[in-house]
Amino acid sequence: MSCNRSQPRNVNKNGVYIKNENGKYSLYRNGEPFFIKGASGFTNLKQLNEAGGNTIRVWDTLNLGSILDSAQAHHLAVIAGLPMPPSESIDDFYKTPKASAHVKTIAGIVNRFKHHPALLSWCLGNELAFPYKPKYNQFYTIFNDVVDMIHQDDPQHPVTTTIMSFQKKNIVNIKLRTNIDFISFNVFGSIQTLNEDLQKFNWFWDGPFLITEWGIEGPWVADNQNAWGAYIENTSTKKAEQYLYTYKKYMPVNNSRFLGSMVFYWGQKQELTPTWFSLFDENGAETEAVQVMHYIWTGQKASKKAPALKYMLVDGKGARDNILFKPGITINSKVYLEDPDTTGLTFKWQIFAEDWFKPNGVFNQKKPKEIKNLIIGHCGPDLKFKVPDQEGPYRLLVYVYDQKGSFATSNTPFYVLKNP
C-alpha cells in the first residue's frame, strides 16, 4: 500500500531490490549497491557504456528481447516499460474485458524475460495520472493487479511508474492506493524546484525515487516562440552547457532517497525538430552533450570534443528576429563556430517545411518534409539558398561534422510571405 518498500521480497543475492540503511535508500543488484547512471533510449549502447553509463530505459516491450541481449553485451542494465492505457480510459478499457486480457499479456512478458541478466526493473505505465475520484477505482484495481502479479511472479525485480514532474496529487494516490516499490519522475524545467518539492513533502512521502527523464527544456515553453509561434531551438553547444549546468545545480545527488537519473534522449528523436532532444544523429554521430554526460558519469573529460557552434545568421538575422522572406529570392546564411578554422569539418544544410501542429497536445514524431533543390551553393560555414515558392513556415538546419564521429547543430525558423 506504500511505495516505501525497504526490504527485499524473497530476493536472492543476484536479484534487484531497494534497501533502507539508516534512512539512506540504495538499489542493490547482484549483491552490490547499484547507482543508476542512465539514459532513456535503446540505441548507441556502445557509446553509453564508453561514456560511463550503466542503464537504459525503454518505454514498451517492442523488441525487448533483442534490446536486453544488446544491453547485456554492452554491460548495461535495462528498465523495461510495460505500457498501460491512461487512467482516463476508464470506460473504454479499465471497465471492459480488454483490461484483464492486458494483465495476462503483461504476465506473459514478465515471465518470458524475468530471468534475463540485463533486466533491472519494470516500469508500469509512463506519465499516468493517478486521480482521486471513486470512478477511477477500477483503474487502481487493474494497476495493482499487474503490480501484484509482478511481485509474485518476479520478486527479483522491483516495480516503478513514472509521473510527469513533481505532482503532489499523483504522489498521494501512488502512496495510498498502489503497491509499487519506488516512484520515477520525468522532469525537465521543473527540476529547478525538485529539491525544494521533495523536502517540503517529505512529511507525507519519504520513499525512494528515480529520475527517468531529464534534460534541456522542451519546445513547450511559450517565451521560446517567435511572432508566428515557431519555437526557438538552442545550438547543440548551448544545450551541452545546459545539461552540465542543470545536473550540477539541480540534480538531487545529495538526497538520501535518490536512486539515480536517466538523461533524455539517448538517440535520435523527432520532436518538433530532428535535433531538439537528440544526443545523436540517425547514423550514431554524437553531440557535445554526450561528452558532457561522460564527464558527469566518470568525472573525466571525454577524449574527443564536438565542434563548438556559436550561432547562425540568415540574411544577417537571428532566430528570434521573426525572419520573413518573399518567395523565390536568394538568401545568404552563415554559421559561426568558436574556432574559425574549419579544416576537416563537413557542413550539411537542410531546409524543412515547419510542422509545429500539436494534435492532442503532442508534437508530430514524423520527420518534416525536406524541401529539395533549394541549396544554390555552400562553402564551409557559408550557404546560399533559394527561398521556397510556397507561403508558410520553414526551418533551416545545419549539421557540422568533424572526422571523429562528433557533430554540432543549429537551426533557424523563417516564414515565406508574398508580401512581407
Side-chain angles (χ1 to χ4, degrees), residues 79-94:
I79 296 177
L82 299 171
M84 290 289 286
S87 54
E88 295 82 359
S89 303
I90 193 70
D91 292 322
D92 60 0
F93 180 81
Y94 288 100

Side-chain angles (χ1 to χ4, degrees), residues 223-237:
D223 61 1
N224 277 347
Q225 293 176 272
N226 66 9
W228 60 88
Y231 293 88
I232 309 301
E233 180 178 348
N234 284 319
T235 67
S236 56
T237 303

Side-chain angles (χ1 to χ4, degrees), residues 112-123:
R112 179 181 175 187
F113 296 111
K114 65 183 181 182
H115 296 300
H116 199 290
L119 182 64
L120 182 71
S121 174
W122 300 104
C123 183

Side-chain angles (χ1 to χ4, degrees), residues 40 57 59 126-127 185-188 211-215 262-264:
S40 286
R57 175 210 173 194
W59 292 264
N126 183 52
E127 297 184 353
F185 296 109
N186 291 347
V187 293
F188 290 88
I211 294 178
T212 37
E213 291 180 15
W214 74 275
M262 314 194 77
V263 69
F264 185 88

Side-chain angles (χ1 to χ4, degrees), residues 57 125-130 161-171 174 183-188 190-191 194 197 212-213 220 361-362:
R57 175 210 173 194
N126 183 52
E127 297 184 353
L128 296 174
F130 291 85
T161 190
T162 72
I163 58 175
M164 190 187 303
S165 67
F166 189 99
Q167 298 182 35
K168 291 181 180 178
K169 178 189 75 171
N170 283 330
I171 294 170
I174 288 172
I183 294 177
S184 294
F185 296 109
N186 291 347
V187 293
F188 290 88
S190 63
I191 197 174
L194 183 59
D197 292 335
T212 37
E213 291 180 15
W220 44 68
V362 178

Side-chain angles (χ1 to χ4, degrees), residues 121-360:
S121 174
W122 300 104
C123 183
L124 185 56
N126 183 52
E127 297 184 353
L128 296 174
F130 291 85
Y132 286 118
K133 295 180 180 179
K135 78 172 189 176
Y136 293 101
N137 286 349
Q138 187 62 14
F139 159 72
Y140 288 101
T141 297
I142 299 300
F143 186 90
N144 283 321
D145 282 350
V146 178
V147 176
D148 293 342
M149 176 273 297
I150 298 173
H151 284 160
Q152 179 177 332
D153 290 3
D154 182 18
Q156 311 304 320
H157 299 100
V159 186
T160 187
T161 190
T162 72
I163 58 175
M164 190 187 303
S165 67
F166 189 99
Q167 298 182 35
K168 291 181 180 178
K169 178 189 75 171
N170 283 330
I171 294 170
V172 167
N173 286 312
I174 288 172
K175 177 178 178 179
L176 297 180
R177 304 183 70 177
T178 80
N179 300 320
I180 66 167
D181 300 297
F182 63 97
I183 294 177
S184 294
F185 296 109
N186 291 347
V187 293
F188 290 88
S190 63
I191 197 174
Q192 296 179 19
T193 62
L194 183 59
N195 273 302
E196 182 181 0
D197 292 335
L198 289 163
Q199 184 176 359
K200 286 184 175 180
F201 208 47
N202 191 61
W203 64 272
F204 178 81
W205 171 69
D206 60 357
F209 67 92
L210 172 67
I211 294 178
T212 37
E213 291 180 15
W214 74 275
I216 60 165
E217 186 64 284
W220 44 68
V221 181
D223 61 1
N224 277 347
Q225 293 176 272
N226 66 9
W228 60 88
Y231 293 88
I232 309 301
E233 180 178 348
N234 284 319
T235 67
S236 56
T237 303
K238 181 65 177 178
K239 286 189 252 184
E241 294 172 2
Q242 291 174 329
Y243 279 103
L244 183 59
Y245 178 82
T246 297
Y247 192 93
K248 283 188 169 183
K249 186 171 180 64
Y250 300 116
M251 193 61 68
V253 293
N254 296 319
N255 192 299
S256 61
R257 303 150 55 194
F258 183 51
L259 303 179
S261 62
M262 314 194 77
V263 69
F264 185 88
Y265 174 77
W266 198 266
Q268 194 279 325
K269 183 178 191 292
Q270 169 67 36
E271 190 155 348
L272 181 71
T273 75
T275 54
W276 196 291
F277 288 113
S278 304
L279 272 66
F280 294 83
D281 75 355
E282 293 173 331
N283 299 313
E286 66 184 44
T287 64
E288 189 177 344
V290 174
Q291 294 150 19
V292 165
M293 294 312 304
H294 181 281
Y295 175 72
I296 287 173
W297 287 329
T298 68
Q300 305 292 324
K301 289 189 176 181
S303 59
K304 55 185 177 180
K305 179 78 163 62
L309 208 160
K310 294 164 67 176
Y311 56 88
M312 178 199 292
L313 293 181
V314 180
D315 195 31
K317 302 180 180 68
R320 298 182 183 277
D321 291 333
N322 302 318
I323 303 171
L324 304 177
F325 292 132
K326 291 182 179 180
I329 64 173
T330 299
I331 297 296
N332 292 311
S333 176
K334 185 178 181 70
V335 63
Y336 294 82
L337 288 86
E338 292 186 5
D339 184 353
D341 183 5
T342 60
T343 304
L345 299 181
T346 301
F347 294 78
K348 176 184 175 183
W349 298 87
Q350 294 180 314
I351 297 173
F352 289 100
E354 183 79 291
D355 178 14
W356 73 82
F357 181 56
K358 291 174 64 180
N360 302 316

